[in-house]
Amino acid sequence: MRRSDLGEFEEVVLLAVAVLSPKSYSVVIAEELERETGQTVSTGAVHAALQRLEQKGYLTSHLGDATAERGGRRKRLFAVTALGGRVLSDVHSVRNRLWERIVPQTILTWS
């Protein structure tokens, strides 16, 4: 695996963008992560991660149309780039290979 410089929070934010695309913006990403993790996730933390991921070339963004729900303001919508998709695939493969090597009896002792 190529070293991706992808932090754990950045990884889940990148995954959420992929899941929510093409309607991925910071508020719905934070809501999705809260729903999936059961933890409070601030939109500020998500916004900072989105900026880092875009700087690394893993995401692109553009301004969507103005909406009445946001008082006429436009949302910044994010999408995963080919590089971001490749990094996610690499991380997924590493995790799967490690999980497959755990002896089943070990997993039973955790529960």
Side-chain angles (χ1 to χ4, degrees):
M1 179 175 103
R2 179 178 81 77
R3 186 170 186 273
S4 66
D5 69 343
L6 188 65
E8 183 178 344
F9 187 68
E10 290 175 341
E11 179 185 343
V12 293
V13 169
L14 190 57
L15 279 168
V17 170
V19 167
L20 297 167
S21 188
K23 297 182 178 177
S24 300
Y25 62 98
S26 59
V27 173
V28 296
I29 293 167
E31 290 171 352
E32 180 70 16
L33 293 178
E34 284 186 1
R35 187 173 25 258
E36 287 296 328
T37 66
Q39 304 285 320
T40 301
V41 177
S42 76
T43 54
V46 169
H47 186 72
L50 289 169
Q51 286 183 324
R52 289 192 306 272
L53 290 165
E54 193 168 22
Q55 288 171 351
K56 293 176 182 180
Y58 300 156
L59 294 176
T60 60
S61 69
H62 70 279
L63 288 175
D65 295 331
T67 60
E69 69 180 315
R70 293 177 41 93
R73 292 181 303 162
R74 300 166 68 184
K75 298 173 187 167
R76 179 161 294 282
L77 302 169
F78 291 86
V80 177
T81 64
L83 177 60
R86 193 166 45 246
V87 167
L88 279 178
S89 181
D90 289 348
V91 169
H92 185 245
S93 295
V94 168
R95 290 180 187 272
N96 281 348
R97 284 193 305 272
L98 288 170
W99 275 103
E100 290 168 1
R101 291 176 43 205
I102 295 175
V103 177
Q105 292 82 359
T106 305
I107 295 174
L108 291 174
T109 60
W110 294 341
S111 48

